[in-house]
mmCIF file of all heavy atoms in Angstrom:
data_model
loop_
_atom_site.group_PDB
_atom_site.id
_atom_site.type_symbol
_atom_site.label_atom_id
_atom_site.label_comp_id
_atom_site.label_asym_id
_atom_site.label_seq_id
_atom_site.Cartn_x
_atom_site.Cartn_y
_atom_site.Cartn_z
ATOM 1 N N VAL A 120 -33.599 1.073 -1.753
ATOM 2 C CA VAL A 120 -33.488 0.041 -2.805
ATOM 3 C C VAL A 120 -34.701 -0.886 -2.737
ATOM 4 O O VAL A 120 -35.074 -1.342 -1.659
ATOM 5 C CB VAL A 120 -32.189 -0.791 -2.623
ATOM 6 C CG1 VAL A 120 -32.181 -2.009 -3.545
ATOM 7 C CG2 VAL A 120 -30.966 0.070 -2.876
ATOM 8 N N LYS A 121 -35.327 -1.120 -3.877
ATOM 9 C CA LYS A 121 -36.477 -2.037 -3.923
ATOM 10 C C LYS A 121 -35.955 -3.473 -3.902
ATOM 11 O O LYS A 121 -35.270 -3.903 -4.826
ATOM 12 C CB LYS A 121 -37.271 -1.805 -5.213
ATOM 13 C CG LYS A 121 -38.132 -0.550 -5.166
ATOM 14 C CD LYS A 121 -39.617 -0.917 -5.222
ATOM 15 C CE LYS A 121 -40.528 0.297 -5.078
ATOM 16 N NZ LYS A 121 -40.394 1.022 -3.802
ATOM 17 N N GLU A 122 -36.291 -4.195 -2.841
ATOM 18 C CA GLU A 122 -35.807 -5.576 -2.707
ATOM 19 C C GLU A 122 -36.891 -6.561 -3.128
ATOM 20 O O GLU A 122 -38.084 -6.303 -2.924
ATOM 21 C CB GLU A 122 -35.444 -5.866 -1.244
ATOM 22 C CG GLU A 122 -34.526 -4.854 -0.585
ATOM 23 C CD GLU A 122 -33.054 -5.150 -0.802
ATOM 24 O OE1 GLU A 122 -32.726 -5.908 -1.732
ATOM 25 O OE2 GLU A 122 -32.241 -4.602 -0.028
ATOM 26 N N LYS A 123 -36.412 -7.704 -3.670
ATOM 27 C CA LYS A 123 -37.350 -8.817 -3.895
ATOM 28 C C LYS A 123 -37.776 -9.316 -2.519
ATOM 29 O O LYS A 123 -37.103 -9.056 -1.526
ATOM 30 C CB LYS A 123 -36.643 -9.948 -4.648
ATOM 31 C CG LYS A 123 -36.525 -9.698 -6.132
ATOM 32 C CD LYS A 123 -36.124 -10.963 -6.869
ATOM 33 C CE LYS A 123 -34.663 -11.313 -6.595
ATOM 34 N NZ LYS A 123 -34.230 -12.534 -7.305
ATOM 35 N N LYS A 124 -38.820 -10.104 -2.463
ATOM 36 C CA LYS A 124 -39.359 -10.564 -1.180
ATOM 37 C C LYS A 124 -38.307 -11.312 -0.357
ATOM 38 O O LYS A 124 -38.082 -11.015 0.829
ATOM 39 C CB LYS A 124 -40.566 -11.486 -1.427
ATOM 40 C CG LYS A 124 -41.584 -11.405 -0.314
ATOM 41 C CD LYS A 124 -42.849 -12.142 -0.719
ATOM 42 C CE LYS A 124 -43.828 -12.220 0.444
ATOM 43 N NZ LYS A 124 -44.999 -13.044 0.115
ATOM 44 N N CYS A 125 -37.595 -12.249 -1.013
ATOM 45 C CA CYS A 125 -36.589 -13.035 -0.287
ATOM 46 C C CYS A 125 -35.438 -12.141 0.175
ATOM 47 O O CYS A 125 -34.924 -12.282 1.284
ATOM 48 C CB CYS A 125 -36.078 -14.182 -1.160
ATOM 49 S SG CYS A 125 -35.380 -13.654 -2.737
ATOM 50 N N CYS A 126 -35.052 -11.184 -0.677
ATOM 51 C CA CYS A 126 -33.941 -10.297 -0.352
ATOM 52 C C CYS A 126 -34.326 -9.355 0.784
ATOM 53 O O CYS A 126 -33.507 -9.047 1.654
ATOM 54 C CB CYS A 126 -33.535 -9.488 -1.577
ATOM 55 S SG CYS A 126 -32.889 -10.501 -2.913
ATOM 56 N N LYS A 127 -35.581 -8.915 0.777
ATOM 57 C CA LYS A 127 -36.086 -8.041 1.842
ATOM 58 C C LYS A 127 -35.976 -8.776 3.180
ATOM 59 O O LYS A 127 -35.549 -8.203 4.187
ATOM 60 C CB LYS A 127 -37.543 -7.685 1.529
ATOM 61 C CG LYS A 127 -38.243 -6.840 2.589
ATOM 62 C CD LYS A 127 -37.866 -5.368 2.437
ATOM 63 C CE LYS A 127 -38.688 -4.451 3.339
ATOM 64 N NZ LYS A 127 -38.502 -4.686 4.774
ATOM 65 N N LYS A 128 -36.308 -10.059 3.150
ATOM 66 C CA LYS A 128 -36.256 -10.870 4.360
ATOM 67 C C LYS A 128 -34.804 -10.979 4.854
ATOM 68 O O LYS A 128 -34.529 -10.866 6.055
ATOM 69 C CB LYS A 128 -36.796 -12.283 4.047
ATOM 70 C CG LYS A 128 -37.739 -12.802 5.103
ATOM 71 C CD LYS A 128 -38.411 -14.066 4.610
ATOM 72 C CE LYS A 128 -39.124 -14.771 5.765
ATOM 73 N NZ LYS A 128 -39.691 -16.044 5.340
ATOM 74 N N ALA A 129 -33.889 -11.194 3.899
ATOM 75 C CA ALA A 129 -32.463 -11.307 4.243
ATOM 76 C C ALA A 129 -31.954 -9.992 4.821
ATOM 77 O O ALA A 129 -31.174 -9.966 5.778
ATOM 78 C CB ALA A 129 -31.664 -11.697 3.002
ATOM 79 N N SER A 130 -32.397 -8.893 4.222
ATOM 80 C CA SER A 130 -31.969 -7.574 4.673
ATOM 81 C C SER A 130 -32.503 -7.285 6.086
ATOM 82 O O SER A 130 -31.775 -6.790 6.948
ATOM 83 C CB SER A 130 -32.457 -6.522 3.674
ATOM 84 O OG SER A 130 -32.234 -5.242 4.179
ATOM 85 N N ASP A 131 -33.758 -7.619 6.309
ATOM 86 C CA ASP A 131 -34.351 -7.415 7.641
ATOM 87 C C ASP A 131 -33.682 -8.313 8.684
ATOM 88 O O ASP A 131 -33.548 -7.930 9.845
ATOM 89 C CB ASP A 131 -35.861 -7.713 7.607
ATOM 90 C CG ASP A 131 -36.619 -6.637 6.839
ATOM 91 O OD1 ASP A 131 -36.025 -5.557 6.607
ATOM 92 O OD2 ASP A 131 -37.776 -6.881 6.455
#
Side-chain angles (χ1 to χ4, degrees):
V120 170
K121 284 245 176 298
E122 309 273 19
K123 281 193 288 180
K124 211 170 173 186
C125 57
C126 296
K127 177 81 172 63
K128 224 170 168 185
S130 171
D131 289 345

